[in-house]
C-alpha cells in the first residue's frame, strides 16, 4: 500500500473513528504497538513509568485486562492514565469477568475518556490465576464482544435495542493465534472474527516464522489481509529458561527448538541480548511479508527494551498524526 | 443422568453425630447407576457409620431404605409411616431428591450424603463425564452434536480459543478441547463450512441466569 497523508485519508472518508492506530494503519504505515501490564496495586506510576519508556517508539499502548487471570489494576483505569499522558491507549477487554451489562458499561466509560481503540479477548482461564476458586462469566465470547462494540458504534444501539446517546467511537481489534490447534481452522477463525467486525488483529507471539508465513499465505489466499490489519505479535526472550517455559508451559505457544538452542548457545549474561537479536531479525523478516500491517511488541516487564527493538528494526521514527 | 459423588465420610460423621436415630435413604435412579447413592452404597455407609459410632461409644439406631425415586411424590409417600421414628434422614439422592424429601417431611432434618456433580454419562467403568448444563435452549444441531457450553471451560460459542493444543484444553492436558471435537465431527459430516457461521449472542434467560425454572405441560396435567 502506498503511503497517504492524514489529510488525504480524511478526505477519502475511510476513517471510521478517531483512533490514532486506525489512522496510521490506513495511511499505510507499518504500525507499532506495545503494552503496559497494569500493576498488582494501585500506584499509577507503575503504568505511567512504563508508558514513559516506550511512548516515543510506539503508536499506541495496550493495557492488559487481568492477564493470566491474575488480579490487577483494571485495564480501563490504566488506559485513562495513559490517555492523560497524551498517549493513545488500547483497551483490552476479556469476556471472562464481566457480563454484557458490565462490558457495555465499561465501553461507554472508556468512550467518555475518548479511548478510541480496543482489543476483544476471551481471557485466560481463571485456573491459571490467583482466584482459582472464582466463577467465570463468558456471557459473550470474544467474537460476540466484537459484534457488540460494532453494533454500539455503527448502529448506536445497546444489545437490548435502545439508542445510545453519544455512541462509543472505537476502532475494534481482536487476537489471533496462528499456532493453536487445529491449524486448519486458524484462517477460517480469522475470517469469522472479520465477519464479526474486527478491524485489526494482534497475533500471539511469533517464534515459528515458517508457520506464521504459511498462515499468512492462507490468509492472503482468501484475501483476508485486505479486510483487516494484521499486526504481528513479538515478544523478545530474556533467556533460554524463558524460551523453554514458553514452549512447555504457555498454552498455544509455538517455540521452535532452534530458538532455545540459539539462546542456550551463548553465555547466560549474553542471552538477553541474543533474545533481542532474534526479535529484531524476526521483525525484519516479517516486515517483508505481504499483509503484515505492523508489529505488536509485548516486552513483558522489559519495556525499556522496546525503543531498541523498534529502532534496530527500522521502525523509527514513528509517524506523527 | 445426574452424576453424584460420595461425600467424604468425615463430613458425613460431622453432620450426623448429634442424631440418635438415623435413616439412610437411597434412591434407585441416577445415583444407583453412578454408584453413589443406591441400595449398595446405603448398606456400605450404614455399616461404616455403625462401626464408627460403636467404636466411639456413641451407638446409634441407623436404618436403611432405598426408594424407587426421591424426586417423585408417589415413592416418597412410602416412608410417611416411619419418618417419625428418626431424628434425621441422610439422603443419598441427588440434590433434587434431598430437597423433595425435605419439602415433604418438613419437621425432619434432611442431610445430603452425596455431592451432586453434573449431567453426564458413564464413559467407562468407574468414570462419568459431563455432557449437559441444562441451558434450556439446545444448540447441538449447530455444533456437530457436541456441547461447547458443558464441555468448553470458557463455554466459548465461537471457538476454539487460543488455548487449544493438540486437541486438549489449556486448563488440563487430559481434557479434550470441545471445539476440536466439534471441528472433527463437522469435518467427518462434510459440514466444515458450517464452522464459519457465527453463533449468535446467547439468550441465557433459559439457563440458571433466568432464575429457578419450571416446565409446564398442560397437555399431560390432570
Amino acid at each position: 500500500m502506498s503511503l497517504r497523508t492524514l489529510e488525504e485519508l480524511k478526505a477519502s472518508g475511510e476513517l471510521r473513528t478517531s483512533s490514532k492506530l486506525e489512522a496510521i494503519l490506513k495511511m499505510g504505515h507499518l504500525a507499532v504497538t506495545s503494552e503496559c501490564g497494569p500493576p498488582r496495586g494501585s500506584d499509577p506510576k507503575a503504568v505511567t513509568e512504563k508508558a514513559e519508556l516506550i511512548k516515543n517508539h510506539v503508536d499506541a499502548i495496550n493495557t492488559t485486562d487481568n492477564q493470566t487471570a491474575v488480579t490487577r489494576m483494571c485495564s480501563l483505569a490504566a488506559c485513562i492514565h495513559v490517555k492523560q499522558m497524551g498517549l493513545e491507549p488500547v483497551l483490552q477487554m476479556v469476556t471472562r469477568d464481566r457480563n454484557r451489562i458490565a462490558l457495555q458499561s465499561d465501553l461507554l466509560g472508556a468512550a467518555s475518556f475518548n479511548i478510541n481503540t480496543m482489543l476483544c479477548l476471551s481471557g485466560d482461564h481463571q485456573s491459571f490465576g490467583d482466584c482459582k476458586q472464582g466463577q467465570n462469566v463468558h456471557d459473550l465470547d470474544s467474537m460476540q464482544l466484537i459484534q457488540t462494540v460494532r453494533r454500539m458504534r455503527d448502529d448506536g444501539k445497546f444489545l437490548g435495542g435502545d439508542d445510545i446517546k453519544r455512541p462509543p467511537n472505537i476502532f475494534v481489534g481482536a487476537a489471533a493465534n496462528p499456532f493453536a490447534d487445529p491449524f486448519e481452522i486458524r484462517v477460517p477463525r480469522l475470517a469469522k472474527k472479520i465477519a464479526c467486525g474486527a478491524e485489526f488483529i494482534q497475533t500471539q507471539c511469533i517464534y515459528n516464522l515458517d508457520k506464521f508465513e504459511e498462515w499468512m499465505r492462507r490468509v492472503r489466499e482468501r484475501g483476508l489481509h485486505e479486510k483487516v490489519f494484521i499486526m504481528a505479535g513479538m515478544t523478545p526472550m530474556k533467556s533460554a529458561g524463558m524460551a523453554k517455559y514458553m514452549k512447555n508451559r504457555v498454552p498455544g505457544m509455538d517455540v521452535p527448538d532452534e530458538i532455545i538452542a540459539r539462546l542456550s548457545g551463548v553465555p547466560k549474561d549474553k542471552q538477553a541480548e541474543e533474545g533481542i537479536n532474534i526479535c529484531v531479525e524476526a521483525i525484519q523478516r516479517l516486515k517483508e511479508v505481504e499483509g503484515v500491517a505492523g508489529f505488536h511488541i509485548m516486552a513483558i516487564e522489559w519495556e525499556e527494551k522496546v525503543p531498541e527493538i523498534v529502532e534496530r528494526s527500522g521502525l523509527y521514527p514513528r509517524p506523527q498524526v | 443422568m445426574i452424576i453424584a459423588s460420595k461425600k467424604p465420610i468425615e463430613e458425613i460423621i460431622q453432620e450426623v453425630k448429634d442424631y440418635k436415630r438415623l435413616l439412610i435413604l437411597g434412591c434407585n435412579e441416577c445415583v444407583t447407576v453412578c454408584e453413589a447413592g443406591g441400595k449398595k452404597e446405603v448398606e456400605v455407609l450404614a455399616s461404616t457409620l455403625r462401626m464408627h459410632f460403636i467404636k466411639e461409644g456413641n451407638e446409634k439406631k441407623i436404618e436403611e431404605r432405598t426408594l424407587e425415586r426421591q424426586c417423585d411424590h408417589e415413592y416418597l409417600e412410602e416412608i410417611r409411616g416411619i419418618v417419625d421414628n428418626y431424628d434425621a434422614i441422610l439422603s443419598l439422592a441427588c440434590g433434587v431428591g434431598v430437597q423433595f424429601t425435605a419439602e415433604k417431611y418438613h419437621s425432619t432434618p434432611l442431610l445430603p450424603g452425596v455431592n451432586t456433580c453434573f449431567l453426564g454419562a458413564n464413559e467407562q467403568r468407574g468414570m462419568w463425564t459431563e455432557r449437559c448444563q441444562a441451558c434450556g435452549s439446545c444448540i447441538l444441531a449447530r455444533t456437530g452434536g457436541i456441547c461447547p457450553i458443558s464441555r468448553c471451560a470458557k463455554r466459548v460459542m465461537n471457538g476454539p480459543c487460543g488455548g487449544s493444543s493438540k486437541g486438549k484444553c489449556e486448563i488440563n492436558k487430559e481434557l479434550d478441547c470441545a471445539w476440536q471435537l466439534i471441528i472433527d465431527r463437522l469435518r467427518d459430516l462434510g459440514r466444515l463450512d458450517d464452522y464459519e457461521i457465527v453463533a449468535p449472542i446467547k439468550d441465557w434467560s433459559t439457563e440458571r441466569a433466568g432464575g429457578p425454572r419450571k416446565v409446564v405441560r398442560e397437555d399431560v396435567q390432570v
Side-chain angles (χ1 to χ4, degrees):
Chain A
M1 199 194 300
S2 56
L3 290 180
R4 289 188 287 184
T5 65
L6 187 59
E7 289 65 37
E8 285 166 343
L9 181 61
K10 279 181 176 165
S12 75
E14 287 170 41
L15 278 180
R16 308 291 297 272
T17 71
S18 312
S19 163
K20 181 181 168 190
L21 183 62
E22 180 188 13
I24 286 178
L25 288 165
K26 290 188 175 171
M27 284 161 73
H29 295 284
L30 281 172
V32 179
T33 53
S34 186
E35 65 182 31
C36 279
R40 301 209 69 205
S42 62
D43 187 354
K45 280 204 216 112
V47 177
T48 54
E49 284 174 0
K50 281 183 187 172
E52 197 66 44
L53 290 171
I54 59 177
K55 67 175 186 186
N56 296 322
H57 290 78
V58 301
D59 306 316
I61 299 170
N62 288 41
T63 64
T64 46
D65 184 0
N66 296 293
Q67 71 271 28
T68 64
V70 171
T71 315
R72 294 167 184 277
M73 178 193 289
C74 72
S75 172
L76 176 52
C79 269
I80 294 166
H81 291 303
V82 171
K83 185 81 187 182
Q84 286 174 344
M85 293 171 74
L87 307 177
E88 185 78 354
V90 179
L91 175 69
Q92 292 197 188
M93 280 184 119
V94 303
T95 60
R96 176 191 61 224
D97 308 320
R98 282 162 292 184
N99 72 0
R100 62 190 79 179
I101 301 173
L103 291 167
Q104 292 180 95
S105 164
D106 282 356
L107 274 165
L108 293 183
S112 77
F113 284 94
N114 294 319
I115 289 163
N116 298 315
T117 316
M118 73 172 296
L119 188 74
C120 303
L121 305 161
S122 58
D124 295 310
H125 192 267
Q126 73 276 10
S127 60
F128 291 101
D130 66 337
C131 292
K132 297 180 194 330
Q133 298 183 344
Q135 281 277 7
N136 57 16
V137 179
H138 299 297
D139 179 14
L140 309 181
D141 66 19
S142 60
M143 293 208 199
Q144 295 165 341
L145 178 58
I146 297 167
Q147 289 178 313
T148 301
V149 187
R150 287 297 299 265
R151 178 177 162 89
M152 291 173 76
R153 182 188 89 190
D154 299 341
D155 304 341
K157 299 273 189 201
F158 288 105
L159 285 179
D162 293 339
D163 291 335
I164 300 172
K165 290 176 189 145
R166 190 180 187 261
N169 176 244
I170 292 180
F171 186 53
V172 188
N177 185 349
F179 309 107
D181 293 319
F183 188 63
E184 65 186 302
I185 60 92
R186 287 291 126 197
V187 172
R189 184 160 172 74
L190 176 68
K192 229 170 149 174
K193 288 196 174 183
I194 295 168
C196 287
E199 297 165 301
F200 74 96
I201 295 290
Q202 291 174 329
T203 75
Q204 175 66 286
C205 315
I206 301 163
Y207 299 104
N208 186 340
L209 303 187
D210 293 339
K211 195 163 179 185
F212 176 74
E213 286 172 349
E214 170 60 17
W215 181 75
M216 281 302 302
R217 191 186 62 73
R218 296 188 192 195
V219 166
R220 286 192 304 273
E221 219 168 64
R222 288 188 56 169
L224 298 178
H225 64 304
E226 286 164 352
K227 295 179 178 166
V228 74
F229 295 101
I230 297 171
M231 301 183 69
M234 312 304 300
T235 294
M237 295 287 195
K238 276 184 179 168
S239 63
M242 174 179 170
K244 285 178 200 158
Y245 179 84
M246 299 270 265
K247 181 185 176 75
N248 299 321
R249 295 294 177 88
V250 182
M253 197 71 74
D254 183 344
V255 182
D257 290 332
E258 300 92 85
I259 300 273
I260 295 170
R262 187 167 158 190
L263 288 163
S264 306
V266 299
K268 272 223 157 97
D269 62 338
K270 300 276 185 207
Q271 287 182 355
E273 194 184 321
E274 193 64 7
I276 301 287
N277 291 339
I278 292 170
C279 183
V280 169
E281 287 166 27
I283 293 176
Q284 282 168 340
R285 175 166 155 189
L286 298 182
K287 274 166 81 176
E288 305 305 320
V289 174
E290 188 189 352
V292 170
F295 293 90
H296 179 52
I297 302 168
M298 297 165 275
I300 304 155
E301 298 302 322
W302 211 18
E303 290 79 7
E304 67 272 21
K305 289 291 179 187
V306 171
E308 180 188 336
I309 294 169
V310 174
E311 288 180 21
R312 285 180 53 197
S313 303
L315 295 166
Y316 187 80
R318 301 306 312 147
Q320 296 305 307
V321 175
Chain B
M1 66 179 156
I2 296 172
I3 308 300
S5 65
K6 294 177 180 179
K7 271 191 180 288
I9 188 70
E10 298 78 20
E11 186 183 338
I12 293 179
I13 289 168
Q14 193 60 29
E15 292 294 339
V16 304
K17 67 181 179 1
D18 297 327
Y19 299 109
K20 288 306 275 183
R21 301 171 303 162
L22 191 66
L23 176 65
I24 303 182
L25 193 63
C27 178
N28 210 16
E29 291 283 355
C30 313
V31 289
T32 294
V33 184
C34 68
E35 301 183 47
K39 190 162 182 285
K40 187 180 74 187
E41 290 75 31
V42 169
E43 282 171 17
V44 172
L45 181 60
S47 305
T48 308
L49 289 176
R50 280 185 203 114
M51 278 178 350
H52 171 83
F53 288 113
I54 287 170
K55 234 196 243 168
E56 277 204 332
N58 179 19
E59 196 169 341
K60 296 180 187 304
K61 171 179 158 183
I62 296 176
E63 293 183 341
E64 305 164 23
R65 184 78 183 254
T66 295
L67 300 179
E68 195 54 36
R69 279 199 286 283
Q70 289 187 37
C71 55
D72 202 316
H73 285 297
E74 181 189 342
Y75 298 108
L76 277 176
E77 280 301 324
E78 291 174 9
I79 57 166
R80 182 163 298 281
I82 60 165
V83 159
D84 290 342
N85 301 339
Y86 305 100
D87 301 318
I89 299 174
L90 176 64
S91 167
L92 300 197
C94 69
V96 180
V98 176
Q99 291 183 67
F100 220 47
T101 309
E103 286 168 32
K104 200 150 205 72
Y105 302 110
H106 197 68
S107 56
T108 306
L110 238 293
L111 309 165
V114 301
N115 290 319
T116 306
C117 300
F118 49 80
L119 302 183
N122 191 353
E123 192 160 310
Q124 51 177 266
R125 179 84 182 120
M127 184 169 100
W128 296 268
T129 51
E130 184 164 16
R131 288 293 183 277
C132 179
Q133 288 197 352
C135 74
S137 178
C138 192
I139 58 164
L140 286 169
R142 300 202 299 266
T143 57
I146 291 146
C147 175
I149 297 167
S150 57
R151 301 189 66 184
C152 166
K154 298 179 190 170
R155 66 177 189 188
V156 172
M157 308 294 284
N158 294 284
C161 77
S164 179
S165 184
K166 299 182 178 69
K168 300 296 175 185
C169 174
E170 66 177 19
I171 71 161
N172 181 346
K173 287 195 166 72
E174 306 286 300
L175 190 65
D176 287 330
C177 166
W179 276 97
Q180 174 83 56
L181 300 176
I182 291 169
I183 289 156
D184 289 347
R185 186 118 200 279
L186 288 176
R187 187 199 307 111
D188 293 347
L189 295 171
R191 287 179 42 204
L192 201 50
D193 287 350
D194 286 3
Y195 172 74
E196 290 197 35
I197 301 169
V198 178
I201 291 174
K202 188 164 169 69
D203 174 358
W204 292 110
S205 68
T206 57
E207 185 244 20
R208 177 209 63 79
R213 293 166 282 178
K214 184 192 278 190
V215 172
V216 179
R217 282 275 308 276
E218 287 179 3
D219 58 326
V220 294
Q221 283 180 331
V222 284

